[in-house]
Amino acid sequence: MDLLLTYDVDTTTPEGRRRLRKVAKLCEGHGLRVQKSVFEIVATDIDLLHLLDDINKIIDMDTDSIRIYRLPHNGFNEVQTLGVAQIQPHREDLVL
């Protein structure tokens, strides 16, 4: 499934800034960063459950916000961009 994940972590405290770094690092392990707090993720149902569980262990439910949108299959192929934004290769082989 194609997912768009956005987050808003309260960074007014040192603990909040640590949570922000942890959420960003976690998301980097699951998808492609397309904006500062926005990730495009290709995942299975199990991947999504693991991601949600890991996020729940990090965030503060009273101050932080995570939004996950399920897009239609291959929804990333229909993205329109403006400015410096570029289409990301979600399903292509990665060369390291």
Side-chain angles (χ1 to χ4, degrees), residues 8-84:
D8 187 12
V9 176
D10 177 26
T11 58
T12 58
T13 65
E15 295 81 16
R17 290 187 287 278
R18 278 192 289 279
R19 288 194 315 275
L20 175 69
R21 286 189 297 275
K22 287 181 180 181
V23 168
K25 188 73 169 170
L26 176 65
C27 291
E28 287 172 349
H30 288 269
L32 300 171
R33 183 189 297 262
V34 293
Q35 292 186 344
K36 292 187 190 296
S37 327
V38 180
F39 283 80
E40 293 176 348
I41 300 170
V42 175
T44 64
D45 289 332
I46 301 229
D47 294 334
L48 177 57
L49 289 174
H50 286 294
L51 177 60
L52 291 172
D53 184 53
D54 291 341
I55 288 174
N56 277 322
K57 293 174 184 173
I58 296 171
I59 67 169
D60 180 330
M61 293 291 202
D62 295 326
T63 60
D64 303 336
S65 173
I66 308 290
R67 297 178 71 91
I68 300 175
Y69 301 88
R70 286 184 189 228
L71 303 176
H73 182 66
N74 289 323
F76 297 132
N77 295 339
E78 303 297 323
V79 173
Q80 294 180 339
T81 63
L82 299 171
V84 297

Side-chain angles (χ1 to χ4, degrees), residues 72 80 88 96:
Q80 294 180 339
Q88 299 295 316
L96 301 175

